[in-house]
């Protein structure tokens, strides 16, 4: 009888958890723009590759 009570409690908890996930899991995140400075020396562009490419 005790095992049956534990099983019922676990099933009820699973149903409540599933309902909560279905309700709260579909919420959209709050979006905001984030700007942060980047420090460092500028990098020169790479030279184009020289050589023959075969296809």
């Amino acid at each position: 009888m005790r095992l049956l009570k534990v099983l019922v409690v676990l099933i009820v908890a699973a149903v409540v958890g599933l309902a909560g996930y279905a309700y709260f899991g579909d919420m959209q995140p709050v979006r905001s723009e984030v700007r942060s400075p980047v420090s460092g020396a500028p990098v020169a562009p790479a030279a184009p590759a020289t050589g023959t490419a075969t296809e």
Side-chain angles (χ1 to χ4, degrees):
M1 191 59 133
R2 188 174 185 180
L3 183 61
L4 183 63
K5 287 181 183 179
V6 170
L7 186 61
V8 169
V9 168
L10 287 176
I11 290 173
V12 169
V15 169
V16 169
L18 183 63
Y21 178 74
Y23 183 73
F24 292 112
D26 197 24
M27 299 176 73
Q28 296 293 324
V30 177
R31 295 183 181 204
S32 62
E33 184 176 347
V34 177
R35 292 180 180 237
S36 58
V38 177
S39 62
V43 177
T50 58
T52 58
T54 58
E55 292 183 12

